[in-house]
Amino acid sequence: MRARIVRILSKDYTLQMEDGTRILAVAMGKVRLQDKPVIGDLVDAVCRDGVWGIESIEPRKNHLIRPRCANIDQALIVMSVKDPDFSCVLIDRLSFLIVNAGIEPLLCVTKCDLGITEETEARIREYEAGPMRVIRTQKDSLDPELGSILKDKVTVLTGQSGAGKSTLLNTLDPTFHLATQEISKALGRGKHTTRHSELHPVAGGLVADTPGFSSLDFSKMDETDLAESVLEFRPYLSKCRFNDCVHQNEPGCAVKEAVAAGKIPQVRYEDYLGVLEMIQDRKETY
């Protein structure tokens, strides 16, 4: 019977059947020899002697490593305006990875009631003027557009620890009872309170709130993958003089010309260069 993994806690898997019912299951022998099941996986489940088991996992249309989830339609990057501070570097690096995984990135800016500096406001407006959809939220108030965005979609929430991912879900549906946290001023990071991975039914869709991440992995991306993962670059990639242009020092680069003309934000280009240098440094070590 076809089902989707919607919750993982240790070795226990909660499956949502096609009729919406949920059951507990375990991974059967041959599944344990495959890739470890993750939330979002579509599986074939069987019941034997009253125990449900995952017999096989369908091929994934996409797969994120951090957070670990599969078959995701869109990823909502949750970023606060402060506590912790707004970070274009983090937004951009997350969006590069998300796009590379074949998932649509969205940006949710939280804690807008705490006040937004001129610099942060300028950066947010750059995102709003670009290809990524942006939603602003504040305490106890959500943009009604968020519900329509989530409907009929599988969405993963990711971003800063402490930016309000769990709070966002609690506001969408108070029955979640997900723990929220105060920010550790000393560390400048949230205390991790999400202890398991789960797909929650929200606004007619499924939403994943996952444990906070500690690193971003670009080891599977090359220079071409990276450039194609920057949404603002896409209208210009085919217009460069050289087919192997990496938009760094080459003459006749349409991307650099677009940056100079203000068509691509300078911050986005600089964040691209930062990741590009990481990829190039990795290549030099082999």
Side-chain angles (χ1 to χ4, degrees), residues 261-278:
K263 297 178 181 178
I264 296 174
Q266 181 69 33
V267 171
R268 201 79 63 255
Y269 179 63
E270 291 174 358
D271 289 344
Y272 161 79
L273 289 179
V275 178
L276 178 64
E277 290 171 3
M278 291 167 50

Side-chain angles (χ1 to χ4, degrees), residues 33-76:
L33 300 177
Q34 301 174 359
D35 286 342
K36 185 177 180 180
V38 300
I39 58 170
D41 270 335
L42 294 169
V43 303
D44 183 32
V46 296
C47 185
R48 293 174 181 164
D49 299 325
V51 177
W52 281 94
I54 299 172
E55 191 170 51
S56 63
I57 301 173
E58 293 184 12
R60 296 163 176 161
K61 72 175 183 180
N62 54 49
H63 182 206
L64 288 177
I65 302 300
R66 296 188 68 88
R68 285 187 60 82
C69 51
N71 302 313
I72 302 299
D73 296 310
Q74 55 192 13
L76 189 64

Side-chain angles (χ1 to χ4, degrees), residues 2-283:
R2 195 169 191 250
R4 185 188 295 272
I5 297 176
V6 293
R7 186 173 189 261
I8 299 175
L9 183 58
S10 186
K11 296 181 180 180
D12 295 326
Y13 300 89
T14 300
L15 308 183
Q16 181 166 303
M17 314 305 282
E18 291 186 320
D19 64 0
T21 59
R22 294 192 171 197
I23 61 170
L24 284 176
V26 296
M28 299 177 69
K30 60 183 179 181
V31 170
R32 290 197 295 268
L33 300 177
Q34 301 174 359
D35 286 342
K36 185 177 180 180
V38 300
I39 58 170
D41 270 335
L42 294 169
V43 303
D44 183 32
V46 296
C47 185
R48 293 174 181 164
D49 299 325
V51 177
W52 281 94
I54 299 172
E55 191 170 51
S56 63
I57 301 173
E58 293 184 12
R60 296 163 176 161
K61 72 175 183 180
N62 54 49
H63 182 206
L64 288 177
I65 302 300
R66 296 188 68 88
R68 285 187 60 82
C69 51
N71 302 313
I72 302 299
D73 296 310
Q74 55 192 13
L76 189 64
I77 301 169
V78 182
M79 181 66 56
S80 57
V81 297
K82 61 174 61 174
D83 297 331
D85 291 338
F86 191 85
S87 171
C88 288
V89 171
L90 189 51
I91 294 171
D92 291 343
R93 292 188 177 187
L94 279 169
S95 69
F96 299 163
L97 289 169
I98 289 164
V99 172
N100 182 250
I103 300 169
E104 180 185 2
L106 310 169
L107 175 60
C108 181
V109 182
T110 64
K111 305 184 184 181
C112 293
D113 53 296
L114 298 183
I116 306 176
T117 65
E118 290 185 7
E119 174 67 18
T120 298
E121 178 65 29
R123 300 288 79 79
I124 295 172
R125 290 188 178 184
E126 285 179 343
Y127 286 112
E128 289 175 330
M132 185 162 56
R133 198 165 185 176
V134 180
I135 302 162
R136 301 191 190 210
T137 69
Q138 57 188 29
K139 187 177 181 180
D140 301 324
S141 176
L142 290 180
D143 188 326
E145 183 183 19
L146 184 59
S148 63
I149 289 173
L150 301 180
K151 183 175 174 58
D152 299 325
K153 301 284 187 179
V154 177
T155 306
V156 61
L157 271 64
T158 189
Q160 296 162 304
S161 181
K165 296 188 296 295
S166 294
T167 300
L168 190 65
L169 287 179
N170 282 329
T171 305
L172 284 164
D173 186 344
T175 63
F176 287 149
H177 298 304
L178 294 177
T180 55
Q181 65 271 12
E182 294 184 355
I183 301 301
S184 169
K185 296 291 186 181
L187 295 177
R189 302 178 63 184
K191 300 173 183 178
H192 294 283
T193 56
T194 309
R195 301 300 183 186
H196 63 277
S197 297
E198 184 166 358
L199 285 174
H200 305 279
V202 178
L206 292 171
V207 175
D209 183 35
T210 56
F213 60 87
S214 59
S215 64
L216 294 170
D217 183 11
F218 290 92
S219 63
K220 304 297 184 183
M221 294 176 66
D222 61 21
E223 294 151 319
T224 301
D225 293 332
L226 176 62
E228 292 176 348
S229 299
V230 184
L231 294 177
E232 288 89 344
F233 285 12
R234 289 187 169 182
Y236 309 100
L237 293 177
S238 63
K239 300 178 181 179
C240 293
R241 183 184 304 174
F242 302 106
N243 291 333
D244 60 351
C245 183
V246 297
H247 324 295
Q248 190 174 30
N249 301 312
E250 301 88 344
C253 173
V255 168
K256 290 195 298 179
E257 291 171 359
V259 174
K263 297 178 181 178
I264 296 174
Q266 181 69 33
V267 171
R268 201 79 63 255
Y269 179 63
E270 291 174 358
D271 289 344
Y272 161 79
L273 289 179
V275 178
L276 178 64
E277 290 171 3
M278 291 167 50
I279 292 173
Q280 291 172 334
D281 288 345
R282 184 189 73 224
K283 288 175 63 178

